[in-house]
Amino acid sequence: MRFKYTVGKVDWANLPKELLTTIAKHLTFLEDVISFSVVCKSWQLAVALERPSLPPKFPVLMLIQIKDKQGCGNEDKENMQIQKSFTLISRGLFVSLEKEKRTSTSESCTLRFESHVCRLNFIKAAYKRCLGSKFGWLLTLSVDSQISLLHPFSRHQLQLPPNPNFDDLVDPHHPAFSELFDPNMTHKPEDFSDTFIRKAVLSSNPWKNSTCNSTCNDYEVSDFVIMAIFSEACILAIARPGDRVWTKVQVPSHYYYDTIYYKDKFYAVDCKGALVVFEFFHDRSPRGTVIAPGPQGMIDSFIKYLVESSGDLLLVSRARTKCVRRTKYDVRIEEPPYWTYRFKIFKLEECTQVGSEYKYNWIELNNLGSKTLFVGTSSVSLNASDSRGSCQANCIYFTDDFQYGHGHDMGVFNVENGTVEHHFLNKPSTYSSVPFWYL
């Protein structure tokens, strides 16, 4: 018997929304998400709404690179429009990447990628500095001081208020000013545009579940709050959807290193390791209260991160050598200008000390167990088993989040033996933004 099959034309752009979202929920690899999202706008929206934070069970290392056109002369390259491309390492992080052994910091240390690398050219990121955030969103800062949240796979943007003009950002009397800037010069907020935002944290996913049909490319914006750390003075401020200006947060101290949204509240840690929780009011600016002092012996210059791990709040202290400003005539030109050499981890616990004015304190941890920490401008804690052997338990993976850095200070810290294994990518000067974990 002979059978005749008739294949009808499929309108891929108008497939039922329920079918697209069901498929999107089952995507488990980054390359599948990318392939799915580039089909058309309705497929992009399905991925963005259902899997906004990306399917991989471990963070993805993201680099923002400047790409020059091939074959252009030097003059043409200087005048051409620069386009940025997202480079995402979707598997293996640092562990499965083959690396050259290093006996001293002066030797070349490069990576040859064995893991999967995805590259996405995206003109909407041109001329912008990108920072990691959460829920699949990036925070972008343009040279004209415009700030946006950008979802790279759906191509959607949410406009935020422009750079604030707080007086103490350029106030010579600010405690951090004299160490960072020349008090004899006139500084304006535009002078700090490249490094104006150090970090930003979202209270929730900016997107609600769409109520549109499968042909609708709109989405609903949730009532989220974003808290950001601005400039070298480390000023805290918040914004909500529709705000025209940033609202400065009233804090009891100065120079904040990190902020986190933890158990329905915003927290921040200052240079001394003191933990501050914020209370929000309807008619006035948010106010911070210190609930835990800094750990004894904490050094102000050490970088601090706040990370949630299995319901606990961790403080991670990163010791990095002092930045050495060099010229091509410097005899130390082969040495890295700065280098991470140690981490310390503390867990927040209720204070049992009689007569203490604080409700909590930091207790040092010497072991993470099965956990793995990823720290940088975005941080997270995961079970090492979730990575299917691609990362090690009881380790801290760190990126080079130094605002004036070149992407070389990246690697893995082994908590058990206290050793640091450094890795950095070839030609790190091509980065236009610091490397970060895409969450």
Side-chain angles (χ1 to χ4, degrees), residues 13 39 54 69 119 128 131 162 189 209 212 218 230 311 320 352 373 415 427:
V39 173
L54 283 186
K69 290 182 179 178
R119 290 182 174 86
K128 295 180 180 180
L131 293 176
N209 289 329
C212 301
D218 268 337
F230 286 94
R320 188 164 55 195
T352 57
L373 302 185
V415 178
K427 297 182 180 180

Side-chain angles (χ1 to χ4, degrees), residues 12 19 89 110 151 174 191 195 292 302 345 374 386 426 438:
W12 296 104
L19 175 61
I89 304 174
T110 61
H151 198 288
H174 190 280
D191 299 334
T195 57
F302 286 1
I345 309 165
F374 301 83
D386 290 341
N426 198 20
Y438 185 52

Side-chain angles (χ1 to χ4, degrees), residues 12-13 20-21 24 27 32-52 120-122 124 151-157 207 214 216-219:
W12 296 104
L20 293 177
T21 55
L27 298 178
D32 294 334
V33 176
I34 295 175
S35 299
F36 192 93
S37 64
V38 298
V39 173
C40 61
K41 291 184 177 180
S42 61
W43 289 43
Q44 287 177 7
L45 185 61
V47 167
L49 288 174
E50 296 302 327
R51 305 310 300 261
L120 297 176
N121 292 326
F122 194 35
K124 286 189 176 181
H151 198 288
F153 296 107
S154 69
R155 311 303 199 259
H156 282 300
Q157 293 188 92
W207 282 353
S214 60
C216 179
N217 295 319
D218 268 337
Y219 57 92

Side-chain angles (χ1 to χ4, degrees), residues 189-383:
E190 306 87 75
D191 299 334
F192 318 127
S193 61
D194 288 342
T195 57
F196 206 88
I197 296 183
R198 301 173 64 93
K199 182 163 184 176
V201 174
L202 295 167
S203 64
S204 61
N205 191 340
W207 282 353
K208 291 182 180 179
N209 289 329
S210 175
T211 57
C212 301
N213 57 38
S214 60
T215 61
C216 179
N217 295 319
D218 268 337
Y219 57 92
E220 296 181 25
V221 179
S222 67
D223 187 21
F224 69 94
V225 179
I226 181 170
M227 178 175 284
I229 303 176
F230 286 94
S231 86
E232 295 289 1
C234 295
I235 303 298
L236 288 167
I238 65 165
R240 294 180 174 86
D243 285 356
R244 295 185 177 181
V245 295
W246 289 86
T247 301
K248 185 179 176 181
V249 178
Q250 301 180 46
V251 289
S253 56
H254 297 282
Y255 209 82
Y256 286 84
Y257 272 103
D258 201 2
T259 179
I260 189 174
Y261 193 72
Y262 170 71
K263 292 186 177 180
D264 300 326
K265 292 183 179 180
F266 279 103
Y267 293 79
V269 61
D270 67 11
C271 61
K272 299 184 181 300
L275 182 67
V276 176
V277 63
F278 297 97
E279 185 178 1
F280 285 69
F281 305 94
H282 294 291
D283 56 346
R284 50 196 173 103
S285 301
R287 180 182 298 274
T289 303
V290 177
I291 60 172
Q296 187 174 3
M298 178 64 69
I299 299 177
D300 290 9
S301 60
F302 286 1
I303 312 301
K304 284 87 177 175
Y305 305 97
L306 293 174
V307 187
E308 181 178 0
S309 179
S310 297
D312 294 323
L313 184 60
L314 304 182
L315 169 63
V316 180
S317 171
R318 176 178 181 175
R320 188 164 55 195
T321 59
K322 187 175 181 180
C323 179
V324 179
R325 298 187 181 277
R326 308 169 305 180
T327 67
K328 63 180 180 179
Y329 304 106
D330 197 320
V331 294
R332 298 168 296 177
I333 190 65
E334 293 184 354
E335 292 292 330
Y338 53 91
W339 208 251
T340 296
Y341 61 91
R342 189 178 71 226
F343 283 86
K344 283 191 175 183
I345 309 165
F346 304 87
K347 184 174 76 170
L348 186 68
E349 291 189 354
E350 288 193 24
C351 183
T352 57
Q353 182 180 353
V354 178
S356 174
E357 62 177 306
Y358 301 104
K359 186 176 180 180
Y360 299 91
N361 58 4
W362 295 110
I363 304 299
E364 186 170 359
L365 296 181
N366 297 315
N367 195 300
L368 289 172
S370 62
K371 296 295 182 181
T372 303
L373 302 185
F374 301 83
V375 299
T377 57
S378 52
S379 303
V380 71
S381 168
L382 296 174
N383 282 314

